[in-house]
C-alpha cells in the first residue's frame, strides 16, 4: 500500500484552509508561521518558517542517516554572497559587447533594472544569431544546476535557444568523461549508471569487497535528486556481517575508517599499473577464469601477450608495478590471489579516470573483473557506481518522475554548414574551442571542427570551479564578447561575467523531485517557503521574459506557469501509477497536504546482480558491443589509430606524476571530494567553521612528510608549483 506521510491530510487542512477543501493547490509562499518540506541535493528536511524567514531545519524522519551538509542550507539561502539584483560589468554597460575583456574578474558592476538586463541579454542573442549564426552562441552549461524537475535552467536555456535558431551545446561531463568515452566500447554502455548489484546480494554472497578510489559514505551524501542515504545501512550490515574489505586509495577514507577495512595506499595516477600487475599475477599463476574469458569476452589473447611483455619486452608484473605504485610486489601478488579465493566484488570510484590517459583504468578494471570471472554472479563482479546515488539500493515499486519542459529540436532559421563547426563539443573542450576556432579535433574516431563562439550563457553552474588550468581558462574566456551568468550566488564564474541575473534559491520556488535517484522511495513536493530575496526571480520566469523579447514566448511557455508544470509532472506520474495499480493521491491532496508520497520496496530487487542475464545466456542476452561480449581488445578503437589509446588496456605514463624522473615537484596535490561541502558550494556557511584552519581550507599531509618540512597541525602552508599557489 502507498501512504501519505504522517502529516496527514486532516492536519494539512488546518494549514491551507479553503484552498485544500476546494481541491485547489496553493502555489503562493506562506504568509504565516508553519512547517514545510525542504528538499535539496543534500537531503530532505522539515523547515520552520516564521515572519517570512526560514528559521530552522530538522531532517525528514525517514532519512536513515541525515547528512551534516543540511546545516549549510539556511546559510546558503541567506548568504551575503546571494545575487540580489541584476548587475552589468561597467565596461560592458558603457561600451557594449567585447568591451575590455581583460578587466573581467576585476571590473566593478553596475546595478540595473530587470528590464534593462533582459533587454541587453535578448539583444545580444539576436545580434549573435543575425550577425554570425547559432554556432556563435555556447549554451553548454555544466554543473549541478538548480535543484528540482521544473527549474532545471539548463534545459530551459536550450529550449529557448532552439526556438530562436539553436546554439552550441556540450556532451559528457567532468565527473566521468573517461568512463563514458571508453565503456561503450568495452561493455556497450556507460556501465557507471543505473542500478548496480544490490547491497543485499553483497551482504548475502560476497566474501571480499575491494573499494578502489571509492568513498561511498562521503560521496553519497549528495545526489542529483534527493539523496536517500541508504548506503549507511549497507555499511552497518557489512560491519555486522564482518565482511572483509580492502580500500585502495592514496588517503585513508571515511568509509575505510567506519568499516574498519584494510588500507592499501597507492601512489596517485598509478592505478592502471596496479590493475595490470594484478592481471599479470592471475595470468602467470593460472588463476584467471579461462572459461569465462572464452565465453563472455573477446580479445584476451593479445592482452595476455601484452601482460607478458611480448610486444614491448616489458612484463607488467608485480615487480614492474611495485616502484610505480609504491606497493610491495609481494603485496600485489597476495592481493591477486585473494581476489579468486571466494566471491569478490570490485568497486571503483571515478577519480582514477580523471587524469591523463584516465580512460585506461576503467578498461583495465573491468578486464581484471573479467579475469576473476565473477561478473553477473550474486555478490560478485564489479561496480563503478556504489559511490553515488546509492546504486545498490533496493528499488521501490514507484512511477518514474519525468520533466515537463522538453528541450525540443532546433528551429532552422539559418542553415548550419559543416565548416562553421560542430553543434556539440565535449564539455571539457570549452577552452580548446575558444583558443582554436575553425580547427579540427579528433573525438571517437571522427573529425570535428571547433565553432567560432562569441557568446555564452551559463545557468546553474560554475565553470571556474570545474575546469583545469585556470590561467589558461581565464585567457581563453577573453574570446567571449558576452558572458551571461544566471545564478542565485556570486560564484567565481559570476565574477567574470558581463551580465549577471539573480535567480531564486530552491527554497524560494515551487518544484517536485524524487527521494532516491535509484530507490525512488517517495515523490516530494518542493513548496515555495519564502519570497525570493531582493529582486531574485524564478529561473523559469526569467526565461519566459526572455522568450517574450525574442518573440517565442507562446512556444516556450505553452501558456504554462511553474505551478502548471509541477502539476503536469505529478499528473504524469499519477497516470503511470494508475496503470500499474499503485495508489497515489490526486495532485491537490498531495500539494495541499504533506507533499510526500511514499512507495513500497520491491522484494525481487534485493537479489539483483548486474549482468546476470548476460551471464545466464550471452547469446540470448548479448551486450551491445560489436561482438556482443566484453571487449578486452576493441577492433573499433584499433581502427581509430590513436597513439594515446591502444586497442586494449595499456599503461601509458602520465605527463605529470610522482613517478617521473623530474623531481622538481616532490609532492602530489589531490583535490579529492571535500568532507563538509559539495564542490564550491557551502563555502560561506557555518559548515566551514567545523573544518577550516586559520580561516583556510585544510591541507592533509602525511605525518612523515610534514615532519620533514617542519609542519605541524594548525600551520598555514603555501602550496605551489609553476602554475599557481594557494594558502
Amino acid at each position: 500500500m502507498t501512504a501519505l506521510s504522517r502529516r496527514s491530510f486532516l492536519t494539512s487542512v488546518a494549514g491551507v484552509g479553503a484552498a485544500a477543501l476546494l481541491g485547489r493547490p496553493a502555489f503562493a509562499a506562506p504568509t504565516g508561521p508553519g512547517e514545510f518540506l525542504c528538499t535539496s541535493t543534500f537531503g530532505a528536511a522539515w523547515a520552520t518558517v516564521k515572519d517570512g524567514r526560514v528559521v530552522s531545519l530538522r531532517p525528514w524522519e525517514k532519512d536513515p542517516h541525515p547528512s551534516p551538509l543540511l546545516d549549510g542550507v539556511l546559510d546558503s539561502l541567506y548568504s551575503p554572497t546571494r545575487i540580489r539584483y541584476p548587475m552589468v560589468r561597467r565596461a560592458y554597460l558603457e561600451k557594449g559587447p567585447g568591451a575590455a575583456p581583460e578587466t573581467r574578474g576585476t571590473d566593478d558592476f553596475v546595478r540595473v533594472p530587470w528590464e534593462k538586463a533582459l533587454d541587453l541579454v535578448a539583444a545580444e542573442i539576436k545580434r549573435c544569431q543575425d550577425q554570425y549564426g547559432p554556432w556563435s552562441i555556447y549554451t553548454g552549461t555544466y554543473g549541478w544546476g538548480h535543484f528540482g524537475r521544473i527549474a532545471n535552467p539548463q534545459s530551459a536555456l536550450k529550449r529557448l535557444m532552439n526556438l530562436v535558431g539553436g546554439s552550441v551545446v556540450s556532451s559528457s561531463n567532468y565527473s566521468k568523461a573517461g568512463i563514458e568515452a571508453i565503456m561503450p566500447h568495452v561493455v556497450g554502455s556507460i556501465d557507471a549508471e543505473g542500478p548496480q548489484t544490490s547491497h543485499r546480494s553483497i551482504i548475502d554472497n560476497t566474501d571480499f569487497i575491494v573499494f578502489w578510489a571509492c568513498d561511498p559514505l562521503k560521496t553519497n551524501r549528495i545526489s542529483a535528486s534527493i539523496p536517500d542515504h541508504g548506503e549507511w545501512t549497507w555499511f552497518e550490515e557489512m560491519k555486522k556481517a564482518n565482511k572483509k574489505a580492502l580500500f585502495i586509495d592514496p588517503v585513508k577514507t571515511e568509509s575505510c575508517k567506519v568499516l574498519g577495512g584494510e588500507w592499501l595506499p597507492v601512489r596517485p595516477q598509478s592505478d592502471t599499473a596496479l590493475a595490470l600487475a594484478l592481471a599479470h599475477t592471475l595470468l602467470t599463476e593460472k588463476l584467471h577464469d579461462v572459461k569465462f574469458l572464452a565465453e563472455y569476452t573477446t580479445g584476451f589473447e593479445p592482452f595476455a601477450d601484452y601482460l607478458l611483455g611480448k610486444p614491448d619486452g616489458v612484463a607488467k608484473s608485480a615487480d614492474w608495478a611495485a616502484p610505480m605504485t609504491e606497493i610491495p610486489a609481494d603485496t600485489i601478488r597476495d592481493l591477486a590471489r585473494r581476489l579468486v579465493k571466494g566471491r569478490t566484488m570490485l568497486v571503483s570510484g571515478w577519480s582514477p579516470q580523471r587524469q591523463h590517459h584516465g580512460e585506461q583504468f576503467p578498461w583495465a578494471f573491468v578486464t581484471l573483473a573479467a579475469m576473476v570471472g565473477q561478473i553477473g554472479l550474486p555478490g560478485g563482479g564489479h561496480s563503478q557506481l556504489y559511490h553515488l546515488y546509492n546504486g545498490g539500493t533496493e528499488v521501490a515499486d514507484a512511477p518514474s518522475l519525468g520533466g515537463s519542459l522538453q528541450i525540443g529540436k532546433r528551429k532552422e532559421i539559418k542553415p548550419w554548414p559543416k565548416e562553421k563547426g560542430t553543434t556539440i563539443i565535449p564539455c571539457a573542450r570549452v577552452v580548446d574551442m575558444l583558443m582554436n576556432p575553425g580547427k579540427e579535433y579528433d573525438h571517437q574516431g571522427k573529425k570535428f571542427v571547433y565553432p567560432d563562439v562569441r557568446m555564452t550563457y551559463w545557468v546553474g553552474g560554475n565553470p571556474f570551479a570545474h575546469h583545469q588550468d585556470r590561467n589558461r581558462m581565464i585567457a581563453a574566456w577573453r574570446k567571449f564578447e558576452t558572458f551571461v551568468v544566471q545564478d542565485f550566488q556570486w560564484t567565481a564564474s559570476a565574477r567574470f561575467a558581463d551580465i549577471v541575473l539573480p535567480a531564486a534559491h530552491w527554497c524560494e520556488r515551487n518544484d517536485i523531485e524524487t527521494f532516491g535517484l535509484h530507490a525512488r522511495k517517495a515523490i516530494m513536493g518542493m513548496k515555495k517557503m519564502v519570497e525570493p530575496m531582493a529582486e531574485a526571480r524564478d529561473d523559469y520566469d526569467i526565461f519566459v521574459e526572455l522568450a517574450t523579447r525574442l518573440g517565442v514566448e507562446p512556444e516556450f511557455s505553452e501558456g504554462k506557469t511553474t505551478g502548471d508544470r509541477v502539476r503536469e509532472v505529478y499528473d504524469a506520474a499519477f497516470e503511470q501509477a494508475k496503470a500499474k495499480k499503485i495508489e497515489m493521491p490526486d495532485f491537490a491532496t498531495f500539494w495541499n497536504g504533506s507533499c510526500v508520497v511514499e512507495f513500497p520496496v520491491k522484494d525481487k530487487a534485493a537479489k539483483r546482480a548486474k549482468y546476470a542475464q548476460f551471464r545466464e545466456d550471452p547469446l540470448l542476452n548479448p551486450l551491445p558491443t560489436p561482438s556482443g561480449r566484453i571487449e578486452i581488445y576493441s577492433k573499433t578503437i584499433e581502427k581509430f589509430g590513436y597513439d594515446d589509446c591502444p586497442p586494449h588496456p595499456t599503461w601509458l605514463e602520465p605527463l605529470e606524476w610522482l613517478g617521473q624522473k623530474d623531481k622538481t615537484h616532490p609532492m602530489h596535490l589531490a583535490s579529492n571530494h571535500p568532507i563538509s561541502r559539495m564542490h564550491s558550494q557551502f563555502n560561506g556557511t557555518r559548515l566551514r567553521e567545523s573544518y577550516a584552519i586559520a580561516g583556510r581550507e585544510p591541507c592533509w599531509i602525511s605525518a612523515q612528510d610534514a615532519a620533514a618540512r617542519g609542519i605541524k597541525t594548525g600551520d598555514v602552508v603555501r602550496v605551489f608549483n609553476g602554475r599557481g599557489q594557494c594558502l
Side-chain angles (χ1 to χ4, degrees):
M1 290 289 290
T2 303
L4 285 169
S5 185
R6 63 184 179 183
R7 280 166 182 72
S8 67
F9 174 64
L10 289 176
T11 303
S12 70
V13 168
V16 298
L21 295 174
L22 294 172
R24 295 197 307 268
F27 285 107
T31 56
E35 194 169 48
F36 300 87
L37 188 64
C38 174
T39 61
S40 70
T41 301
F42 315 100
W46 295 107
T48 299
V49 178
K50 187 176 181 180
D51 298 327
R53 187 179 179 89
V54 184
V55 295
S56 66
L57 291 175
R58 64 178 179 84
W60 186 50
E61 58 273 11
K62 301 292 181 70
D63 188 333
H65 200 281
S67 170
L69 297 180
L70 278 172
D71 287 342
V73 170
L74 291 191
D75 284 350
S76 74
L77 175 60
Y78 297 114
S79 170
T81 64
R82 283 293 302 273
I83 303 172
R84 288 165 166 74
Y85 311 102
M87 306 288 279
V88 182
R89 187 168 64 91
R90 183 176 296 278
Y92 187 94
L93 183 63
E94 294 175 350
K95 299 179 182 178
E102 69 280 359
T103 68
R104 285 198 182 113
T106 59
D107 203 354
D108 64 327
F109 285 85
V110 179
R111 176 182 171 183
V112 299
W114 263 107
E115 290 70 21
K116 175 68 173 178
L118 292 169
D119 287 346
L120 286 172
V121 175
E124 185 60 0
I125 291 173
K126 288 179 180 177
R127 183 186 76 88
C128 288
Q129 290 280 12
D130 295 342
Q131 187 172 334
Y132 305 111
W135 48 86
S136 68
I137 303 176
Y138 180 63
T139 58
T141 295
Y142 172 82
W144 280 71
H146 295 179
F147 187 73
R149 295 291 169 128
I150 307 304
N152 185 330
Q154 297 164 13
S155 296
L157 174 61
K158 292 177 176 65
R159 176 184 178 89
L160 176 64
M161 296 308 300
N162 274 344
L163 289 171
V164 296
S167 61
V168 180
V169 299
S170 65
S171 64
S172 195
N173 50 67
Y174 289 95
S175 295
K176 62 179 190 301
I179 289 175
E180 291 193 357
I182 201 69
M183 282 295 102
H185 297 291
V186 181
V187 295
S189 67
I190 293 173
D191 187 57
E193 63 182 7
Q196 306 293 297
T197 295
S198 70
H199 294 159
R200 175 50 52 193
S201 183
I202 289 174
I203 298 297
D204 293 343
N205 301 286
T206 303
D207 299 307
F208 185 38
I209 184 167
V210 178
F211 291 94
W212 199 324
C214 186
D215 193 3
L217 294 186
K218 180 171 68 173
T219 49
N220 267 296
R221 289 176 172 179
I222 61 173
S223 174
S225 68
I226 308 165
D228 57 78
H229 300 135
E231 67 287 338
W232 277 93
T233 303
W234 176 37
F235 265 63
E236 289 167 0
E237 292 189 6
M238 281 197 291
K239 195 168 185 177
K240 288 179 183 177
N242 198 27
K243 291 295 175 183
K244 294 180 181 179
L246 174 71
F247 291 78
I248 302 174
D249 206 293
V251 299
K252 194 169 188 177
T253 64
E254 298 300 302
S255 298
C256 180
K257 296 172 188 176
V258 169
L259 201 56
E262 298 177 61
W263 176 37
L264 191 62
V266 62
R267 175 184 270 169
Q269 298 194 10
S270 67
D271 303 272
T272 302
L274 177 57
L276 294 174
L278 292 169
H280 179 275
T281 300
L282 294 178
L283 176 65
T284 55
E285 296 188 7
K286 298 182 179 179
L287 299 174
H288 58 300
D289 192 325
V290 176
K291 184 178 179 182
F292 182 89
L293 291 168
E295 292 184 14
Y296 300 95
T297 76
T298 183
F300 178 71
E301 291 76 12
F303 175 70
D305 287 344
Y306 170 73
L307 290 177
L308 297 172
K310 292 182 180 180
D312 56 7
V314 179
K316 312 308 177 293
S317 65
D319 293 304
W320 164 81
M324 292 190 285
T325 61
E326 296 186 331
I327 297 174
D330 287 343
T331 301
I332 296 174
R333 283 187 282 265
D334 178 65
L335 175 56
R337 295 162 191 152
R338 292 171 69 188
L339 295 180
V340 295
K341 279 187 177 179
R343 188 62 54 83
T344 297
M345 172 60 76
L346 293 169
V347 181
S348 170
W350 295 346
S351 56
Q353 51 94 56
R354 293 177 186 156
Q355 55 186 265
H356 196 204
H357 307 305
E359 68 281 346
Q360 296 304 313
F361 174 75
W363 200 353
F365 175 76
V366 173
T367 298
L368 178 63
M371 292 180 69
V372 173
Q374 298 177 9
I375 294 173
L377 293 178
H382 72 278
S383 172
Q384 300 184 79
L385 194 62
Y386 281 133
H387 69 293
L388 193 61
Y389 308 143
N390 196 18
T393 188
E394 297 173 338
V395 179
D397 189 11
S400 60
L401 203 62
S404 169
L405 201 65
Q406 302 301 310
I407 293 174
K409 294 182 179 180
R410 181 179 83 90
K411 186 182 291 186
E412 185 131 352
I413 296 172
K414 182 179 290 188
W416 194 317
K418 287 186 178 180
E419 63 270 17
K420 293 297 183 180
T422 182
T423 60
I424 306 173
I425 66 161
C427 72
R429 295 259 191 168
V430 58
V431 168
D432 294 333
M433 173 186 71
L434 291 171
M435 289 187 157
N436 301 284
K439 292 187 178 180
E440 279 190 343
Y441 69 95
D442 289 290
H443 183 62
Q444 291 288 0
K446 297 179 181 179
K447 297 283 187 182
F448 296 91
V449 174
Y450 285 123
D452 188 3
V453 172
R454 308 301 180 96
M455 174 189 182
T456 187
Y457 193 150
W458 220 277
V459 285
N462 186 9
F464 280 80
H466 276 109
H467 200 82
Q468 59 273 36
D469 199 339
R470 192 61 38 76
N471 294 329
R472 183 170 180 259
M473 183 179 187
I474 290 173
W477 231 249
R478 291 173 181 166
K479 167 70 189 306
F480 286 124
E481 296 172 7
T482 299
F483 178 24
V484 180
V485 166
Q486 182 173 310
D487 212 329
F488 73 91
Q489 192 170 15
W490 281 99
T491 62
S493 302
R495 191 71 184 86
F496 273 81
D498 296 310
I499 303 172
V500 180
L501 304 178
H505 190 275
W506 64 83
C507 292
E508 299 169 339
R509 53 180 172 76
N510 295 305
D511 215 314
I512 191 168
E513 194 42 275
T514 298
F515 181 75
L517 187 69
H518 293 314
R520 301 194 302 179
K521 293 179 180 178
I523 291 175
M524 293 183 165
M526 298 168 56
K527 280 189 177 180
K528 180 180 180 181
M529 293 181 286
V530 292
E531 292 297 334
M533 180 176 287
E535 293 183 10
R537 293 185 181 180
D538 188 312
D539 285 287
Y540 182 77
D541 294 338
I542 294 172
F543 287 120
V544 169
E545 288 287 338
L546 283 173
T548 299
R549 284 165 169 76
L550 293 168
V552 294
E553 190 278 325
E555 300 97 315
F556 178 83
S557 72
E558 300 171 321
K560 298 172 184 175
T561 64
T562 301
D564 294 332
R565 292 197 177 277
V566 173
R567 179 197 288 270
E568 189 174 52
V569 169
Y570 184 89
D571 285 347
F574 182 84
E575 291 302 317
Q576 289 180 49
K578 192 191 308 185
K580 295 180 178 180
K581 300 188 184 311
I582 300 171
E583 185 181 344
M584 279 181 69
D586 61 37
F587 179 71
T589 304
F590 163 77
W591 192 260
N592 293 325
S594 66
C595 277
V596 179
V597 184
E598 298 177 61
F599 302 98
V601 171
K602 296 178 181 178
D603 292 333
K604 62 182 180 181
K607 298 180 180 180
R608 184 180 65 240
K610 192 168 184 178
Y611 296 116
Q613 290 182 320
F614 167 65
R615 183 174 190 117
E616 183 179 346
D617 194 325
L619 294 178
L620 289 178
N621 305 293
L623 298 179
T625 59
S627 65
R629 296 183 284 179
I630 298 170
E631 303 221 341
I632 296 173
Y633 188 102
S634 171
K635 293 182 179 179
T636 301
I637 291 179
E638 181 183 36
K639 292 176 182 177
F640 293 169
Y642 291 157
D643 293 336
D644 60 352
C645 189
H648 59 68
T650 304
W651 166 251
L652 300 171
E653 185 174 4
L655 182 64
E656 297 177 332
W657 74 304
L658 291 179
Q660 62 194 37
K661 295 178 181 179
D662 177 15
K663 298 298 182 182
T664 304
H665 301 296
M667 307 191 77
H668 183 111
L669 175 63
S671 54
N672 57 316
H673 200 292
I675 296 174
S676 299
R677 55 182 170 80
M678 173 188 172
H679 305 316
S680 63
Q681 296 183 39
F682 285 177
N683 275 346
T685 69
R686 71 193 70 183
L687 292 173
R688 188 172 175 81
E689 299 171 4
S690 68
Y691 66 83
I693 298 176
R696 300 283 177 176
E697 285 291 312
C699 177
W700 296 87
I701 183 173
S702 76
Q704 181 179 358
D705 289 336
R709 291 160 178 80
I711 296 171
K712 63 183 184 300
T713 297
D715 286 349
V716 174
V717 297
R718 174 177 173 249
V719 181
F720 64 95
N721 62 13
R723 292 194 185 87
Q725 60 184 335
C726 63
L727 293 177

